[in-house]
Amino acid sequence: MKRQLVSLWVLSALLLASCESVTEREDPKSFLSIEDVADSKALLGAPPVEGSAAYQYDVARYKWGKSQRSTPRGAQAVRDANLQDTVWMDAAFSEAFGYALTPENAPEIVKLIQRMKEDAGDLCTRAAKEGYMRQRPFMVFEEPTSTPQDDVYLRKNGSYPSGHTAIGWATALVLAEINPARQTEILERGLEFGESRVIVGAHFQSDVDAGRTVASGLVARLHADDGFAKQMTKAKIEFARLRNADKKK
């Protein structure tokens, strides 16, 4: 009897571990690992150095960004800084996409974008961020940003390339593939999302440009991943249902 109880306990433990393992595989936080993505430090090269023409352009764009902070565009830039949970997708891209990007309205599309967020914001930018540890413009010029709640974290994190921009541009590229009829609006919004980082003072323009470069490479790599391909298929099927339901109204 004792042996039977022990055997049942061991079997239960194994089944529980198996279920936990399956859950982890089915709902990971990203599609890729750091070994899967291109080396952003080698790909991008060093950021502009002080005195160069590229750096002078960075400074000019920083000054332009400051001039926008008291305008509606500046308010939008502050909203674009928020990447918490899944709310940011709805706020940033629903209008351009043409449909609400919420877990209630488009769960498969939201799941796709949220799962690739770590790939874009961290994995494809990490090597260059850690390798160059470029100071952010608000640190260089010793001036406040439009998002002071983020400054403590940003001071510890390299400016080049922009992770926010990489997330926004990768998202725009994928959403444009799902809904090509709205690709112009979606890509324009993706460009604005990166530009917002210059306006709030968190990034130089060259950080933003580099963020788009690594994000483009990431999306190409994601298309070679089976997990991404499967979730993309689900997202496209979901979008077809949304579009058909809209046509019947």
Side-chain angles (χ1 to χ4, degrees):
M1 183 65 176
K2 288 183 179 180
R3 282 200 296 268
Q4 289 178 333
L5 289 174
V6 171
S7 297
L8 286 172
W9 181 85
V10 171
L11 179 60
S12 298
L14 289 172
L15 287 172
L16 180 60
S18 176
C19 289
E20 289 176 349
S21 177
V22 170
T23 300
E24 289 173 2
R25 288 198 301 271
E26 289 180 348
D27 192 26
K29 294 182 178 180
S30 62
F31 287 105
L32 306 175
S33 66
I34 190 64
E35 292 79 15
D36 295 323
V37 300
D39 181 340
S40 55
K41 186 173 184 288
L43 174 64
L44 296 171
V49 296
E50 189 173 351
S52 67
Y55 185 78
Q56 290 174 10
Y57 181 62
D58 272 347
V59 173
R61 288 290 289 168
Y62 172 74
K63 291 178 179 178
W64 169 82
K66 282 178 60 179
S67 75
Q68 300 297 305
R69 293 182 190 176
S70 61
T71 70
R73 180 67 184 89
Q76 181 191 69
V78 172
R79 292 192 296 273
D80 286 345
N82 181 12
L83 289 174
Q84 296 301 313
D85 302 320
T86 59
V87 178
W88 70 275
M89 272 179 268
D90 184 31
F93 284 100
S94 286
E95 183 177 352
F97 188 70
Y99 296 87
L101 294 171
T102 63
E104 297 76 23
N105 189 60
E108 298 298 345
I109 298 173
V110 168
K111 183 177 179 180
L112 174 71
I113 301 301
Q114 191 67 2
R115 186 173 164 187
M116 58 182 268
K117 181 178 159 188
E118 190 81 5
D119 295 312
D122 177 24
L123 299 188
C124 80
T125 65
R126 188 188 301 175
K129 276 183 174 290
E130 293 180 351
Y132 294 116
M133 281 303 295
R134 186 185 196 187
Q135 284 196 323
R136 295 170 184 272
F138 75 89
M139 299 165 64
V140 173
F141 299 113
E142 298 182 345
E143 295 177 340
T145 67
S146 300
T147 55
Q149 70 278 5
D150 298 333
D151 290 0
V152 172
Y153 166 75
L154 294 178
R155 286 180 180 277
K156 302 174 183 177
N157 186 267
S159 187
Y160 176 86
S162 166
H164 266 73
T165 298
I167 291 171
W169 190 238
T171 298
L173 291 175
V174 170
L175 291 178
E177 180 177 344
I178 295 171
N179 186 6
R182 297 280 295 179
Q183 62 182 302
T184 299
E185 293 85 352
I186 294 168
L187 294 175
E188 284 179 343
R189 188 65 186 94
L191 289 171
E192 287 179 353
F193 199 82
E195 184 181 69
S196 289
R197 303 307 288 163
V198 175
I199 294 173
V200 300
H203 284 287
F204 288 106
Q205 182 65 50
S206 54
D207 303 332
V208 170
D209 295 340
R212 293 190 190 118
T213 297
V214 294
S216 297
L218 172 74
V219 172
R221 175 62 182 84
L222 283 169
H223 276 82
D225 180 75
D226 288 341
F228 176 83
K230 290 176 182 177
Q231 188 59 38
M232 175 63 99
T233 297
K234 292 179 182 179
K236 289 181 176 179
I237 291 172
E238 179 176 77
F239 175 68
R241 288 200 298 265
L242 288 172
R243 187 177 52 190
N244 290 335
D246 196 36
K247 288 179 180 178
K248 293 177 181 178
K249 291 180 181 179

